[in-house]
Amino acid sequence: MLKNSLYAFTSSIVRFTSNGILLLLLAREWGPTTFGEFILPYIIANVLGLVVDYGFNLHLVKDISKEPEKLNSIFYAALFAKNTITAMLLIAVTLISLVLNYWNLNAVMLGVLLLASVCNSYGVFYNLIFRGLSEFGKETKNIILSETFLIATITILLYLVKAGPLLMSVGFLLSRIAYLSISAISGLKPLTGAVRQRYNLTQAMESIKEGLPYSLQTVIGFMYFYIDTLVIQYVIGSSGVGIYQSGIGILAIGLKLSDILAGIYLVELSKNSKNQEKLKYVAKQMLRHLVIVGNSIFIIMIFGGQIIVKTVYGSNSDFDGVLSLMPYFSLSLLLRYLLYTYATVLTVIGKQFERMMSGLIALLVNLCLNIVFVPLLGIVGASMTTVATNFALCLLYILIVKIQISDLLLTRRSSIVLVLAIVATVFNLICQTEMSITSSALFVILISTISFAVGFKRDEIAYIKNIIMR
């Protein structure tokens, strides 16, 4: 499992650079206002792209890992469904644009970014074959090749061409076409009889029906993070969106490791879904690892927020507003690392509908609270709302898992790490204004070291040491 973790970690580091960090560079180079004009169509395009994703990253990987001998039938049923959904989406967007006569520059940029999002969705789709077969190394190779092309393209456009938002959108599209091409060529190799497979509408509709809860969960999860941005756009405008999304960019980078571990453990949990005791064992291990990693990143963000913001965005005073968001985003990050295990367990044990409804409730609560607090407190109110709804969603997931498998999944080790996070939070509230950069760094190292020493077992520490020595 650790070998797969290293491959997945490598993939995500590359994607950090190509997605998260590149967006941060755009914000730094353009400033909050221009970046706000670009990021809103970018978010909308990604939301529409999630319709094409249709939650395949959850149920396709789960199905392939459970029954790899049925790879062909599982994959092509999903592909037929994806093609059907893509055609319906593109037709709907075109018709809506014609009816509303929406053909200005922003509409063109949105259309280009939507095509880029669809290409990216298909690229990810073909790589899901490797995840389901636990061949993470092949996915890593594809990502390194394609994301290197993206980094080169965006960097040239940003620093040499001095491109604006529209030309930058074209750069994203070309890069995603390259990603799709690389992924499709390699992704089809494990399949047999690829030429004989023909489109089957009945099979596609069955797959669409089966994947609906997973699709809604994916859309809800994405909207959960961006519904506040829409409210900020309405209340404050592009400058507020630019500052808030600059903070979200830092949060998103911190959350990437949770995506890595959740993706790996989804495969392991699916393999043991019929053995509840084994399932609990793997789930407890997953929770422990996520809490350890999440706590370390939480400590870095809550004590090093000012350093992170200044490093990423430089001395530009336009981004000073991001500093006020860091304590709240740090807490949201820790809560997300905690709830990922419970969410993944619900998917594996067949309670995707319960997971989806929990997310929907949290989304609606998040929207209502943002409507109230953004006009009162601005972007800080939005970040406070995110913490509150994440906490509520976490409790809801834990309650459902407890009812379903009669276990909270908390071990002594993971509980101690969570207590360390609480101690760090209290210490930050009391002493942060009096601590120097050196003192903050020493405290981060101390708490992280204790978390690793307490959280990891001896054999895991020995394995990590061995990897480092190599």
Side-chain angles (χ1 to χ4, degrees):
M1 189 182 299
L2 283 173
K3 181 180 179 181
N4 288 335
S5 298
L6 291 174
Y7 279 128
F9 178 77
T10 303
S11 300
S12 291
I13 287 297
V14 175
R15 292 191 78 95
F16 281 170
T17 306
S18 60
N19 292 291
I21 294 180
L22 282 178
L23 288 177
L24 296 180
L25 291 176
L26 292 180
R28 178 170 178 164
E29 189 72 13
W30 286 342
T33 302
T34 303
F35 180 67
E37 294 171 357
F38 171 81
I39 199 64
L40 190 60
Y42 182 87
I43 292 171
I44 295 172
N46 278 279
V47 171
L48 294 174
L50 288 175
V51 176
V52 179
D53 284 348
Y54 209 68
F56 289 117
N57 62 315
L58 292 173
H59 76 92
L60 183 60
V61 173
K62 178 171 70 74
D63 293 343
I64 292 175
S65 61
K66 276 185 175 181
E67 299 179 294
E69 70 279 0
K70 296 182 179 179
L71 172 62
N72 269 32
S73 60
I74 292 172
F75 173 79
Y76 280 106
L79 181 62
F80 297 155
K82 192 175 185 71
N83 291 342
T84 303
I85 294 167
T86 302
M88 293 169 62
L89 173 67
L90 295 179
I91 291 172
V93 170
T94 302
L95 290 176
I96 291 172
S97 299
L98 289 172
V99 171
L100 298 179
N101 195 27
Y102 185 55
W103 297 106
N104 57 26
L105 188 63
N106 286 334
V108 174
M109 184 163 62
L110 176 60
V112 173
L113 288 171
L114 175 58
L115 291 176
S117 181
V118 170
C119 290
N120 182 67
S121 177
Y122 271 90
V124 172
F125 180 79
Y126 282 103
N127 279 311
L128 295 179
I129 296 173
F130 299 126
R131 293 188 200 176
L133 297 175
S134 295
E135 296 178 2
F136 288 85
K138 294 181 179 178
E139 180 186 10
T140 300
K141 180 181 177 181
N142 292 340
I143 289 176
I144 289 175
L145 288 173
S146 57
E147 301 307 299
T148 300
F149 182 81
L150 173 62
I151 294 167
T153 302
I154 300 304
T155 301
I156 291 171
L157 288 175
L158 182 61
Y159 293 106
L160 298 183
V161 182
K162 302 295 182 181
L166 181 57
L167 185 55
M168 194 62 68
S169 303
V170 176
F172 274 97
L173 174 59
L174 294 176
S175 301
R176 293 315 179 193
I177 291 174
Y179 177 42
L180 169 58
S181 302
I182 293 169
S183 300
I185 291 171
S186 62
L188 290 173
K189 289 181 180 179
L191 302 169
T192 56
V195 178
R196 294 190 294 272
Q197 297 288 338
R198 294 184 179 182
Y199 178 79
N200 186 318
L201 180 60
T202 302
Q203 195 175 14
M205 296 310 295
E206 289 177 356
S207 184
I208 289 173
K209 181 180 178 181
E210 179 185 349
L212 182 60
Y214 299 92
S215 173
L216 292 175
Q217 171 60 41
T218 303
V219 174
I220 289 169
F222 188 88
M223 287 300 298
Y224 180 82
F225 266 105
Y226 290 102
I227 194 70
D228 44 13
T229 301
L230 300 179
V231 178
I232 291 170
Q233 171 68 26
Y234 180 78
V235 175
I236 301 176
S238 296
S239 60
V241 170
I243 294 173
Y244 191 76
Q245 279 300 312
S246 297
I248 287 288
I250 296 173
L251 173 62
I253 290 176
L255 286 172
K256 285 297 182 181
L257 282 175
S258 64
D259 293 334
I260 299 172
L261 292 172
I264 293 169
Y265 272 107
L266 174 62
V267 176
E268 295 300 318
L269 288 168
S270 298
K271 291 178 180 178
N272 297 284
S273 59
K274 296 180 181 179
N275 185 334
Q276 191 172 95
E277 291 306 313
K278 183 65 175 177
L279 176 73
K280 290 180 182 179
Y281 175 81
V282 177
K284 288 178 180 179
Q285 185 182 58
M286 176 183 180
L287 179 63
R288 179 166 53 83
H289 288 166
L290 280 167
V291 167
I292 295 169
V293 175
N295 184 50
S296 298
I297 300 174
F298 163 74
I299 297 298
I300 293 171
M301 285 183 64
I302 199 169
F303 283 95
Q306 183 174 359
I307 298 173
I308 294 171
V309 173
K310 292 299 182 182
T311 300
V312 173
Y313 297 113
S315 57
N316 190 340
S317 60
D318 291 340
F319 292 100
D320 287 349
V322 179
L323 292 172
S324 62
L325 307 178
M326 293 301 288
Y328 304 104
F329 284 159
S330 301
L331 289 169
S332 292
L333 177 137
L334 182 61
L335 290 167
R336 297 298 296 184
Y337 270 88
L338 180 61
L339 65 81
Y340 256 109
T341 297
Y342 298 98
T344 307
V345 168
L346 289 176
T347 295
V348 170
I349 64 175
K351 298 299 177 182
Q352 184 62 32
F353 179 78
E354 286 81 353
R355 177 182 177 181
M356 179 197 71
M357 291 305 299
S358 299
L360 179 60
I361 292 170
L363 174 63
L364 294 175
V365 171
N366 196 13
L367 174 61
C368 294
L369 291 177
N370 272 293
I371 291 173
V372 173
F373 287 105
V374 169
L376 293 175
L377 302 173
I379 57 177
V380 174
S383 61
M384 293 171 64
T385 294
T386 300
V387 175
T389 49
N390 271 317
F391 182 73
L393 182 61
C394 188
L395 290 179
L396 194 54
Y397 280 164
I398 291 173
L399 177 62
I400 297 172
V401 168
K402 171 64 175 175
I403 293 173
Q404 295 297 326
I405 65 175
S406 303
D407 201 316
L408 291 175
L409 303 180
L410 284 168
T411 63
R412 181 171 57 87
R413 291 177 183 272
S414 55
S415 299
I416 292 174
V417 175
L418 288 174
V419 169
L420 287 172
I422 296 172
V423 170
T425 303
V426 174
F427 188 81
N428 178 71
L429 292 173
I430 297 173
C431 304
Q432 177 62 14
T433 55
E434 303 174 4
M435 293 181 67
S436 64
I437 294 176
T438 303
S439 299
S440 297
L442 290 174
F443 189 79
V444 168
I445 294 171
L446 175 64
I447 296 296
S448 299
T449 302
I450 296 174
S451 297
F452 275 74
V454 173
F456 285 116
K457 296 179 179 179
R458 289 184 179 180
D459 59 330
E460 293 172 335
I461 294 175
Y463 186 86
I464 293 172
K465 285 182 177 178
N466 188 38
I467 293 293
I468 295 173
M469 293 300 293
R470 289 180 183 178

